[in-house]
Amino acid sequence: MKVTMDTFRDLGGAFIAALVLIFLLMVVYYKSFAIAGIILLGSFLSIIGVIVGHFVMDIFSYGTFFLTATSLIGFISLMGISSRNSLLLIDFSMTLMHQGVEKKQAIAQAASTRAKPIFLTAAAIILASTLLASDPIFGGLGVALIFGTIAAVIVSLIVVPVLMDNTDAVH
């Protein structure tokens, strides 16, 4: 039990460190707390998918898919996946706006253009993670990646564009 608690503590610390690093890098890169906040909020919302996924899997396979240390590894990797999806949309829409496209049009065009790469990346992650999901040790990682990726796609293509449209930092 002590080893498990130490692992959870260490992985929780790594998760918080990843959050802080992603936020700081985005603030430095975009020179905007609002854009960095949109990226971080997208990552937080994708974690809801992990928790729901573990809950659903526990209903179907009682006692097997509770949150584990490998689930926390999935949390950390999802931060990168979700941030990447948000960055694709933000960068492309800002490029379009610098070319003279209106803000709403640029966001819509970025979301429609980048949807295919986001879906393809998600499909690859989900299909690869199905192999992990049935493993007794790495099952938590597989479930976290599958359900978290689904949530990350939804957040990236719906929530992030809405937040981008409602902030003055994206111009």
Side-chain angles (χ1 to χ4, degrees):
M1 187 62 169
K2 179 174 176 8
V3 171
T4 302
M5 294 308 290
D6 289 344
T7 302
F8 269 87
R9 182 197 67 224
D10 294 343
L11 287 173
F15 176 72
I16 291 169
L19 286 174
V20 170
L21 278 173
I22 288 170
F23 184 76
L24 291 176
L25 286 172
M26 293 304 105
V27 167
V28 169
Y29 182 74
Y30 288 111
K31 297 174 182 62
S32 168
F33 286 102
I35 294 174
I38 290 171
I39 293 168
L40 206 59
L41 182 64
S43 298
F44 271 127
L45 293 176
S46 66
I47 290 173
I48 294 171
V50 175
I51 295 167
V52 169
H54 277 79
F55 179 74
V56 167
M57 291 306 293
D58 196 46
I59 291 171
F60 291 112
S61 178
Y62 179 72
T64 306
F65 291 100
F66 50 87
L67 288 172
T68 62
T70 58
S71 300
L72 291 178
I73 295 170
F75 274 52
I76 296 167
S77 61
L78 268 171
M79 296 301 293
I81 293 166
S82 181
S83 297
R84 179 195 157 275
N85 290 347
S86 299
L87 287 171
L88 281 172
L89 293 174
I90 290 170
D91 277 342
F92 192 62
S93 62
M94 289 179 87
T95 300
L96 290 172
M97 284 185 270
H98 287 210
Q99 293 174 353
V101 179
E102 180 197 342
K103 183 178 179 179
K104 286 185 185 296
Q105 179 68 26
I107 293 170
Q109 187 176 346
S112 65
T113 304
R114 295 299 181 199
K116 187 175 182 179
I118 289 171
F119 278 126
L120 290 174
T121 303
I125 293 167
I126 291 167
L127 290 175
S129 298
T130 56
L131 299 172
L132 291 173
S134 61
D135 188 81
I137 295 173
F138 293 105
L141 174 62
V143 170
L145 288 175
I146 291 169
F147 287 94
T149 301
I150 292 168
V153 168
I154 293 167
V155 166
S156 296
L157 294 176
I158 296 172
V159 176
V160 170
V162 169
L163 292 174
M164 286 171 50
D165 186 43
N166 290 324
T167 185
D168 292 330
V170 178
H171 52 276

